[in-house]
Amino acid sequence: MAGSSSSSINTIVDSVISSLSSATTIGPITGVYERDEHPAIPANEGKLPIAYVVPLIEGKDTVNTTIDDDSLYHSFPISIVAYYSMPDVATSLRTVRNYGYAVLDLFRAKQSLPIGQITSAIVEVGYWTAPGGQVVHY
């Protein structure tokens, strides 16, 4: 990666946010933000569905270089979490799972980011029941 390490990482994060913001296959998202919040916060504020991009929270940046090159090669996790208010569990799991795989498809092409590439992915689907019974899928 060229440039400073922090600017390179920030460029990737900004590109992920931009790509998600313009995606039409992940549901009618109200916004995409770089933060990590419990689903109760946007649910209580009426901001669902919403997506968060969370770099380096569930892991660390592993940095490598080569003997004949002064470039640094970063490998780090970025979590993408979207929260959706759905009517129930039984009829909504497939919809939310499809959104998760749509995100995977969005980023699986090696040239989908201005720098860097996706090297592995985990898709996880679940739900949280808020006090009062609201079902929030992620």
Side-chain angles (χ1 to χ4, degrees):
M1 290 183 189
S4 73
S5 294
S6 62
S7 68
S8 296
I9 301 305
N10 291 338
T11 298
I12 291 172
V13 172
D14 291 344
S15 177
V16 169
I17 290 169
S18 176
S19 295
L20 290 170
S21 296
S22 61
T24 59
T25 57
I26 62 171
I29 298 295
T30 60
V32 181
Y33 304 96
E34 181 180 356
R35 63 177 74 136
D36 189 14
E37 291 182 340
H38 190 277
I41 295 170
N44 289 339
E45 295 175 352
K47 294 183 179 176
L48 298 179
I50 196 166
Y52 296 125
V53 175
V54 191
L56 295 167
I57 296 297
E58 298 294 329
K60 55 190 170 202
D61 184 7
T62 302
V63 183
N64 292 297
T65 189
T66 60
I67 244 174
D68 58 346
D69 187 357
D70 64 352
S71 295
L72 297 177
Y73 299 91
H74 297 264
S75 179
F76 64 98
I78 295 178
S79 296
I80 299 170
V81 183
Y83 297 116
Y84 304 88
S85 181
M86 298 289 199
D88 58 38
V89 175
T91 61
S92 303
L93 286 175
R94 182 176 294 235
T95 299
V96 176
R97 182 176 67 240
N98 290 346
Y99 292 158
Y101 282 108
V103 170
L104 175 63
D105 291 343
L106 181 65
F107 293 111
R108 73 178 175 186
K110 288 185 178 181
Q111 301 305 318
S112 63
L113 297 172
I115 56 176
Q117 67 184 33
I118 307 303
T119 58
S120 67
I122 296 170
V123 176
E124 180 181 353
V125 177
Y127 65 92
W128 173 76
T129 304
Q134 180 185 19
V135 179
V136 178
H137 286 262
Y138 61 87

